[in-house]
Amino acid sequence: MTATLEVADLTIVRDADEARIVDGLSFALGPGEVLGVVGESGSGKSTVALGLLAFARPGARIAGGRVVIDGVDLLALRGGELRDARRRLAAYVAQDPATALNPALALRTQLLESLDGPPAENLDRIRRVLRTVGLPADDAFLRRKPRQLSGGQQQRIAIAMAVVARPRVIVLDEPTTGLDVSTQAKVLALVKQLCADEGIAAIYVSHDLAVVADVADRVIVMYGGELVELVPTDALLGAPRHPYSRALLAAVPSARERQVLHPIRGRAPGVGERDAGCVFRARCDFATDACLERPPLEAEPGGRLVRCVRADEVQRLTRITRVADRPERPGLVCRPAVLEAEGIDAHYGERQVLFNVSLELEPGRCLAVVGESGSGKSTLSRCLIGLHEQYEGRLRLDGEELPLTARARPAAARRELQYVFQNPFGSLNPRRTVGSSIAAALRLFGSDGRRTGAVVAEALERVEISARLAERYPAELSGGQRQRVAIARALACEPKVLLCDEVTSALDVSVQASVIELLRGLIDEGLAMLFVTHDLAIVRSIADSVVVLSEGHVVERGETAAVLDRPSHPYTQGLLADTLELPALAG
Amino acid sequence: MAVELLAAPAPSRSTRRARAVALAVAQGVGTLLVVSLLIFLVTQAMPGDVARVVLGTRATPETLATLREQLGLDRPIWEQYGTWLWGVLRGDFGTSLVNGMPVSELLAGRIRNSLTLSVVAMLIMLPISLLVGIVAAQRRDRAFDQGFLGTSIVVNATPEFVTGTVLIALLGTTVFHLLPPVSFIPPGDSPLAHPEAMVLPVLTLVVSGVMYLGRLVRIAFIDAMSSEYVQTARLKGLGTPRILARHALPNALGPVIPAASLVAAYTVGGVVVVEYLFAFPGIGAALVEAVNNRDLPVIQAIVLLIAATYYVLNLVADLLAGGEPQGR
Amino acid sequence: MSAPPRTEAVAASREPSARGAGLRRLWAAPRVRWGVLLLAATTAFAFLGGLLAPFDPSQPVGAPYAPPSPGIWLGTDQLGRDVLSRVLHGGAYLAWMAPTSAVLAVAIGAAVGLAAAYWRGWVDTLLMRAMDVVLAFPGILLTLLFVAVFGPLPWLLVTLVVVALVPGVARVIRGAALPVIGREYVQWAKAVGMPSATILRTELLPNVSSPLFVELGVRLMWAVGILASMSFIGYGIQPPAADWGLMVSENRTGLGIQPLAVLAPVVMIVVYTVSGNLIAEGAARVIARTEGRAE
């Protein structure tokens, strides 16, 4: 294979202390091939993406290595030569097109400026590319500014901008994160098609294994700034040989069948926190004394690379029980609903966002509310908790009429209905300690002041957080820990109903698994839960029944298995078809 | 939720924008009415009987009564306000109590002088601020930038009369004797015909303005240069000059334009002290004079004029700042 | 709604970090320390300076505009009084009036801004329109107008400076509070029915403490500026009292002969205002750092 891109020993360090963000990365890539780079927060994958264009963010520096495209080492170039190489050889697509496109410049200007030569010819080329990516190519469209486009259109423009100069390599950094699944499916299809048709080699960086599995021929698994496994996609899914790859796979939920999600304990090391041993050692189930020394990257048959001394054992043990030992609970007719909503109509200003939405929630069950952005699912949960002002309808808690706004509700109702927010970084007051946040909730409902400390400790214990952390401030906790504390605060109020709004969408998949399992446990203890999400795989993992929202209307409802196995509404069918799955090779 | 709102088809941006502007203008008119009422009431509360001030030693009970009637002082205060406001709206600010001249005539030349001073100061200030701000941003944390930041901390804190006094000491009297410390402009002459009289007052306003506006330009440029779209431009292989001019500048101007409007407002507010300091024959100096003479109609006219200008410039700054979101 | 999973590292850096109260973090900023040091020094100078003055500040000690000589280290002013003694006495009014105005303005402005941001609706409209009326007057114009009516009484000057400064503070604090109110922990507090007063005190106020500190510095700087300017144009502290602003005004005709009579009070005014600005700049820098913005 003649390599289009050859990366050797790419090392990127933090300016301040020379700590390695990316540590000696090497791989090669042929024309038309798509290589996935997968890893969680802090794995260094985004730094790699930029490094492939010989670029480092302020505060970081490329300390060594080679990035050779078509025989040209980008890292050896300076000034005009480097600019020239970035125009001709490599292109980059950023995660968020809303910030990556210049808001002040017309699309035409931004597309034209990456091309040399006469504008007339270049415009022809631009129009062709625009049609390829499925966008209009007329002058009126070219005169638009980025904010006049939808998110999906913006990302198409970003991709068009990347391929218009016919680069040999294109680097995509989480290009579909933040897009709805239907848009994501189209963008992924486009990337595959462009690489195949134009012979472009692509690096596709993502935190989402299912996305990478869909688009990539081979996958690099990164952890703590290191390549831990480089493997053909099929082989990764079928027989991971690195413990981290294996653990990551076990944490990914599936929309097709209910699985037990296995979280990875502990947390990933930050830059500069790594020691001489194996970087995954502290969280690894296979770790032995041999792991105190940094394992070498072993080349294996089939072009595979693994950095683990116990790869054979890992592969042998690879089958993690995936089928859920906890089946979905059938609807228990005898138990009366604890929360009922009837005929909810909600508005934002003059615009109606919810139309006659009704639902019922029984104790010990989880109801998922599913929808894409704009479906009104978050508004629904804000109505139920009493934070949304403009809505009508009827609510009943435990059979008793519940006033619509939180202000009008009796204290008992406010205690029994608790809420956990999507954003773990906003849900706790940064100026309060964790313990004080929980104690504030207790004080509100007139708990015995002398017992507060004990109750706080107990609540933290229930979400598997050490009571010692009660003295900490939120800034000292990880995102997963904060989300647990937010759940603990809700639990301390002894709620009957817990409303969870996308509580895992800001978390890494390994952390998400632990939060989901925690919530599942609480449901088993008799809590009623309303879980708002856009992710069907999470619905399958946690919910007993499901309500599908589209543009403010309930389009489908029923038991989870029934709805996800045999969706009846075209919207649900489409959603399910676009939801990516890890191919079930593991059996 | 915000995302949800944005994703849905909403009334077009320009309609919403027009609505916001209309609302702001309506509120502005209302506010100015309240302001005019406030000015009228406060000046009416001034100690001393207006009629007595006018007549001086010629005051007898009869002449006082006659004059009060002539001036409308015997009518209820609301009526007086109505008459005054109606006059103001037609450009008639009444007559000076000191020399009997129509206020509008009395102030016409003064207004032109003050306007010339402010406009010249702004015209010089803007390009210099832009240049200094961009250079400081490009040389961030290096000597030029550090020097600029340090100077601005001192100059921005210094009241204008102090800055002006120091400039006089430096250029007018103590160190160099280059410029007149007092701005003498004969009545009727354009201040532009007497550049030497303009230099120090203009310089005082410019020094204060540049240090403030330059800082804002600097930060706006640093923000734009560290944005993702500039990173995109770099990764596209564009050169620094093009990135600066085409990518950073239009976005950096976004926050700078309302700030410039704000500085214009400060300049208008600052002319009172600066004109007094240099005895520059503008409305600021006229105001201090009128206050000394208790010349009510003149005080009312000048305060209303400055307040209205100041408020409108502030309002424009708000509208510009609340306008189109620039990047993030 | 399906927000992109921001990587934790990035999101964390934007969060107000560091444990403990905001004040300790502010104190760690060198500019804040310098500002507070200068402020303390100026205040001590203004209050205690009079005790060290070699001469009576209102009695002539020599010819007008006499240059410095042994014993009369800074020369004399336009009436032949000792400049040094007058400078030592000349901050007494300013040193209580300016900080009093600034603290009151920030307290009232913060209350107005927080209330407007928290309740929105008609409360917001009413408060902020009222602020707009005051905002239409440049600070010096407003003060001049009322002082011309009621005379240059110190308490009136303080009141006027407070009135002139409150709208600015209210707008800044309202702006700082709005995003905090949108944060989930305030939403949660509303949902569980925490009393509004408690939300304002425990959830909002601590999270706008840094901008409050910036305002304190900025408004001190403005208060000194307005008060000194008023003295300068003759509507502040009245002769024969010794006052820095007044001294600049009295002696500027002799700037060519005896510059020290003007420059000495000028230096004192600048040091005072710069102390306020340093505090503000330092605090603003701390905020910018924690929010990951440029300074």
Side-chain angles (χ1 to χ4, degrees):
Chain A
M1 180 177 76
T2 51
T4 305
L5 169 67
E6 212 179 320
V7 176
D9 208 24
L10 177 64
T11 300
I12 302 173
V13 300
R14 191 158 66 183
D15 263 339
D17 55 2
E18 301 282 313
R20 295 183 166 199
I21 306 170
V22 175
D23 197 353
L25 192 67
S26 306
F27 61 88
L29 197 56
E33 195 186 0
V34 181
L35 175 73
V37 176
V38 73
E40 296 183 288
S41 318
S43 61
K45 59 187 190 301
S46 284
T47 311
V48 169
L50 289 170
L52 295 180
L53 282 93
F55 186 89
R57 287 218 172 88
R61 182 169 52 81
I62 300 178
R66 285 182 300 132
V67 175
V68 182
I69 303 176
D70 266 2
V72 180
D73 180 5
L74 263 58
L75 299 187
L77 302 179
R78 291 287 171 274
E81 285 175 341
L82 177 58
R83 284 201 295 277
D84 193 50
R86 282 177 182 162
R87 294 167 87 93
R88 285 188 304 108
L89 298 177
Y92 177 80
V93 177
Q95 171 171 347
D96 185 0
T99 55
L101 298 176
N102 192 325
L105 296 184
L107 302 180
R108 187 193 142 99
T109 317
Q110 300 194 52
L111 284 162
L112 264 179
E113 67 186 355
S114 23
L115 297 172
D116 303 312
E121 247 171 63
N122 290 340
L123 268 177
D124 281 348
R125 164 76 182 155
I126 287 170
R127 286 182 214 280
R128 265 203 311 282
V129 172
L130 282 179
R131 277 190 288 270
T132 315
V133 301
L135 288 172
D138 54 291
D139 286 337
F141 184 79
L142 281 170
R143 272 197 302 275
R144 290 209 200 169
K145 301 221 169 132
R147 61 164 173 272
Q148 293 166 297
L149 309 180
S150 71
Q153 284 178 321
Q154 287 176 344
Q155 199 54 288
R156 281 157 193 268
I157 284 289
I159 292 172
M161 201 185 289
V163 299
V164 74
R166 298 187 178 86
R168 306 302 316 276
V169 175
I170 171 172
V171 180
L172 303 108
D173 187 2
E174 304 251 14
T176 64
T177 308
L179 300 179
D180 280 330
V181 285
S182 48
T183 320
Q184 165 172 292
K186 289 177 196 137
V187 170
L188 289 177
L190 173 65
V191 170
K192 282 186 276 192
Q193 181 207 336
L194 277 172
C195 293
D197 292 357
E198 312 231 348
I200 302 174
I203 311 284
Y204 196 104
V205 175
S206 178
H207 71 285
D208 190 334
L209 260 177
V211 167
V212 168
D214 180 73
V215 75
D217 306 310
R218 289 186 299 152
V219 179
I220 287 179
V221 180
M222 285 197 67
Y223 186 84
E226 286 182 7
L227 185 165
V228 295
E229 185 161 7
L230 189 160
V231 49
T233 308
D234 295 349
L236 172 69
L237 301 173
R241 285 175 57 81
H242 194 280
Y244 176 65
S245 313
R246 173 181 178 272
L248 204 55
L249 281 165
V252 179
S254 158
R256 213 179 298 115
E257 56 178 355
R258 171 166 285 207
Q259 296 173 339
V260 178
L261 306 181
H262 295 271
I264 306 177
R265 64 189 151 85
R267 73 183 182 88
V271 175
E273 286 175 14
R274 296 152 205 162
D275 58 19
C278 169
V279 67
F280 188 59
R281 189 180 74 243
R283 304 172 76 188
C284 182
D285 293 332
F286 295 83
T288 64
D289 284 348
C291 305
L292 287 169
E293 219 167 288
R294 190 178 174 211
L297 199 55
E298 298 283 358
E300 301 188 350
R304 214 171 157 159
L305 298 172
V306 182
R307 196 188 290 281
C308 181
V309 290
R310 304 191 61 196
D312 292 334
E313 287 101 311
V314 174
Q315 187 172 3
R316 229 177 294 128
L317 265 170
T318 214
R319 293 210 180 138
I320 302 177
T321 326
R322 298 297 319 256
V323 181
D325 48 357
R326 264 190 322 246
E328 289 155 37
R329 299 164 161 248
L332 301 171
V333 231
C334 51
R335 299 186 78 167
V338 57
L339 180 69
E340 293 162 87
E342 219 179 288
I344 303 281
D345 286 317
H347 292 79
Y348 263 108
E350 288 156 28
R351 205 163 55 85
Q352 187 163 1
V353 288
L354 287 177
F355 301 84
N356 193 26
V357 173
S358 302
L359 51 85
E360 282 184 12
L361 185 57
E362 295 98 24
R365 298 216 341 138
C366 175
L367 170 68
V369 175
V370 190
E372 294 181 288
S373 40
S375 63
K377 60 185 190 300
S378 275
T379 309
L380 178 60
S381 67
R382 284 177 62 86
C383 287
L384 296 178
I385 196 67
L387 284 173
H388 192 69
E389 300 278 336
Q390 292 179 288
Y391 80 107
E392 294 125 44
R394 295 185 60 176
L395 297 178
R396 272 188 298 278
L397 184 66
D398 257 347
E400 293 199 17
E401 197 76 21
L402 184 66
L404 295 187
T405 58
R407 254 179 291 121
R409 291 179 184 171
R414 293 193 308 250
R415 182 177 65 72
E416 287 168 2
L417 199 59
Q418 287 289 324
Y419 196 91
V420 182
F421 291 88
Q422 170 177 2
N423 176 8
F425 300 100
S427 50
L428 300 174
N429 184 344
R431 291 276 186 265
R432 278 185 189 275
T433 61
V434 163
S436 148
S437 272
I438 299 175
L442 291 172
R443 237 188 333 271
L444 271 180
F445 300 116
S447 94
D448 180 357
R450 280 163 301 175
R451 284 206 65 250
T452 303
V455 177
V456 168
E458 210 175 290
L460 286 174
E461 212 71 25
R462 273 181 87 184
V463 296
E464 294 151 34
I465 289 217
S466 155
R468 282 182 297 116
L469 294 188
E471 296 306 311
R472 299 280 183 87
Y473 285 86
E476 298 168 272
L477 305 183
S478 72
Q481 286 176 319
R482 291 186 212 195
Q483 211 57 315
R484 283 165 186 278
V485 171
I487 295 170
R489 178 177 61 182
L491 292 181
C493 299
E494 295 171 38
K496 288 186 174 158
V497 179
L498 190 60
L499 306 178
C500 295
D501 186 0
E502 297 262 18
V503 289
T504 60
S505 70
L507 303 177
D508 273 327
V509 61
S510 63
V511 182
Q512 164 178 293
S514 71
V515 172
I516 294 286
E517 289 303 307
L518 166 69
L519 292 175
R520 201 55 247 183
L522 295 173
I523 297 165
D524 291 343
E525 288 168 25
L527 193 65
M529 185 173 299
L530 186 94
F531 197 97
V532 175
T533 181
H534 66 283
D535 188 338
L536 288 179
I538 293 179
V539 172
R540 178 73 92 166
S541 315
I542 192 167
D544 303 297
S545 52
V546 58
V547 165
V548 184
L549 266 186
S550 170
E551 289 171 7
H553 297 271
V554 175
V555 296
E556 184 157 4
R557 68 170 80 226
E559 296 294 298
T560 303
V563 172
L564 294 190
D565 291 343
R566 296 170 301 279
S568 59
H569 193 277
Y571 177 77
T572 320
Q573 289 163 356
L575 211 55
L576 213 80
D578 287 332
T579 299
L580 293 173
E581 276 290 315
L582 285 181
L585 295 176
Chain B
M1 294 238 312
V3 182
E4 195 173 332
L5 276 177
L6 292 176
S12 85
R13 186 176 290 269
S14 55
T15 343
R16 271 182 296 144
R17 190 138 169 69
R19 249 186 246 164
V21 170
L23 184 69
V25 168
Q27 281 176 346
V29 170
T31 308
L32 282 179
L33 276 179
V34 179
V35 167
S36 71
L37 180 64
L38 202 71
I39 292 172
F40 187 78
L41 292 179
V42 172
T43 45
Q44 287 300 323
M46 278 205 171
D49 182 345
V50 172
R52 216 174 270 282
V53 171
V54 175
L55 291 173
T57 52
R58 289 171 293 138
T60 65
E62 293 79 50
T63 51
L64 278 174
T66 322
L67 186 69
R68 285 210 184 103
E69 206 181 309
Q70 275 175 11
L71 294 175
L73 296 178
D74 52 345
R75 282 180 292 149
I77 193 129
W78 292 109
E79 224 178 295
Q80 292 185 40
Y81 170 69
T83 317
W84 175 71
L85 187 65
W86 179 237
V88 166
L89 292 177
R90 285 175 301 138
D92 173 11
F93 289 87
T95 49
S96 160
L97 300 182
V98 174
N99 56 18
M101 275 172 68
V103 173
S104 43
E105 210 173 292
L106 195 74
L107 292 183
R110 298 286 194 131
I111 293 174
R112 185 199 53 196
N113 290 355
S114 290
L115 211 59
T116 313
L117 176 61
S118 310
V119 170
V120 169
M122 284 304 291
L123 285 181
I124 299 177
M125 190 190 303
L126 290 177
I128 299 184
S129 307
L130 214 54
L131 191 70
V132 172
I134 293 176
V135 173
Q138 277 299 95
R139 308 189 167 268
R140 188 176 177 191
D141 292 335
R142 284 194 261 165
F144 180 88
D145 188 33
Q146 297 285 359
F148 171 62
L149 286 184
T151 317
S152 77
I153 288 180
V154 175
V155 174
N156 282 336
T158 307
E160 270 131 340
F161 81 91
V162 173
T163 313
T165 305
V166 170
L167 286 174
I168 293 177
L170 209 61
L171 301 173
T173 55
T174 318
V175 184
F176 302 105
H177 297 262
L178 298 173
L179 295 158
V182 169
S183 305
F184 178 70
I185 299 169
D189 279 19
S190 161
L192 295 175
H194 301 270
E196 75 290 345
M198 292 278 289
V199 175
L200 278 178
V202 166
L203 198 58
T204 306
L205 292 173
V206 167
V207 167
S208 307
V210 163
M211 287 300 157
Y212 180 78
L213 201 53
R215 283 286 295 267
L216 294 175
V217 172
R218 170 185 176 273
I219 201 75
F221 239 82
I222 289 177
D223 276 349
M225 290 304 284
S226 51
S227 69
E228 273 199 48
Y229 53 80
V230 164
Q231 179 183 309
T232 306
R234 286 206 187 290
L235 294 175
K236 272 155 94 175
L238 303 183
T240 304
R242 184 177 172 91
I243 290 177
L244 274 177
R246 288 310 302 268
H247 286 263
L249 189 63
N251 289 292
L253 283 181
V256 167
I257 289 170
S261 184
L262 208 62
V263 169
Y266 285 142
T267 306
V268 171
V271 294
V272 177
V273 176
V274 171
E275 289 183 3
Y276 175 78
L277 170 65
F278 293 101
F280 182 91
I283 51 170
L287 175 66
V288 179
E289 235 167 80
V291 169
N292 288 338
N293 297 333
R294 308 244 164 254
D295 195 345
L296 283 197
V298 177
I299 299 177
Q300 289 167 343
I302 296 179
V303 173
L304 186 61
L305 225 71
I306 296 183
T309 317
Y310 187 76
Y311 180 74
V312 167
L313 287 171
N314 265 313
L315 189 70
V316 170
D318 276 0
L319 285 176
L320 289 173
E324 307 190 338
Q326 301 284 341
R328 280 262 164 109
Chain C
M1 271 183 302
S2 44
R6 283 269 162 214
T7 52
E8 281 188 20
V10 173
S13 69
R14 289 193 183 144
E15 195 63 14
S17 61
R19 71 187 288 165
L23 283 181
R24 213 176 313 159
R25 225 152 27 96
L26 291 171
W27 182 245
R31 283 180 196 177
V32 172
R33 288 191 193 192
W34 276 108
V36 172
L37 195 73
L38 271 187
L39 178 61
T42 320
T43 309
F45 183 95
F47 283 134
L48 306 175
L51 304 175
L52 305 172
F55 297 102
D56 183 336
S58 52
Q59 293 302 318
V61 295
Y65 293 138
S69 59
I72 303 175
W73 302 107
L74 296 178
T76 65
D77 72 354
Q78 104 275 21
L79 296 178
R81 295 168 296 195
D82 178 38
V83 169
L84 179 62
S85 300
R86 286 182 70 75
V87 167
L88 285 166
H89 275 100
Y93 279 103
L94 204 57
W96 74 261
M97 287 165 74
T100 309
S101 318
V103 169
L104 283 176
V106 169
I108 299 171
V112 171
L114 286 179
Y118 182 73
W119 278 289
R120 302 303 300 268
W122 64 267
V123 178
D124 191 15
T125 312
L126 192 77
L127 287 174
M128 294 327 278
R129 288 292 83 76
M131 296 294 115
D132 277 357
V133 171
V134 184
L135 266 186
F137 297 93
I140 290 186
L141 197 68
L142 183 87
T143 318
L144 178 62
L145 191 62
F146 279 83
V147 168
V149 176
F150 300 105
L153 310 162
W155 66 264
L156 178 66
L157 282 166
V158 169
T159 311
L160 290 170
V161 172
V162 170
V163 171
L165 296 183
V166 160
V169 181
R171 291 183 69 150
V172 171
I173 296 303
R174 177 178 176 275
L178 279 178
V180 177
I181 287 168
R183 295 317 290 265
E184 289 82 351
Y185 54 87
V186 179
Q187 297 294 308
W188 176 83
K190 281 184 170 181
V192 295
M194 195 182 271
S196 295
T198 315
I199 295 183
L200 284 169
R201 188 170 46 80
T202 65
E203 312 296 311
L204 278 181
L205 194 59
N207 286 294
V208 297
S209 62
S210 302
L212 269 179
F213 211 71
V214 174
E215 285 306 295
L216 215 51
V218 169
R219 303 303 151 179
L220 176 68
M221 169 181 113
W222 279 97
V224 175
I226 295 178
L227 290 168
S229 299
M230 289 306 295
S231 293
F232 174 73
I233 56 177
Y235 286 89
I237 303 307
Q238 298 296 306
D243 180 82
W244 295 335
L246 195 59
M247 288 175 70
V248 176
S249 171
E250 288 168 343
N251 299 319
R252 65 200 172 103
T253 44
L255 195 53
I257 319 163
Q258 216 301 61
L260 282 178
V262 170
L263 295 184
V266 156
V267 167
M268 290 316 300
I269 293 172
V270 171
V271 168
Y272 203 178
T273 51
V274 165
S275 72
N277 202 18
L278 276 173
I279 294 174
E281 294 254 351
R285 189 168 198 158
V286 170
I287 298 177
R289 287 253 167 94
T290 45
E291 288 177 3
R293 281 187 288 114
E295 297 130 26

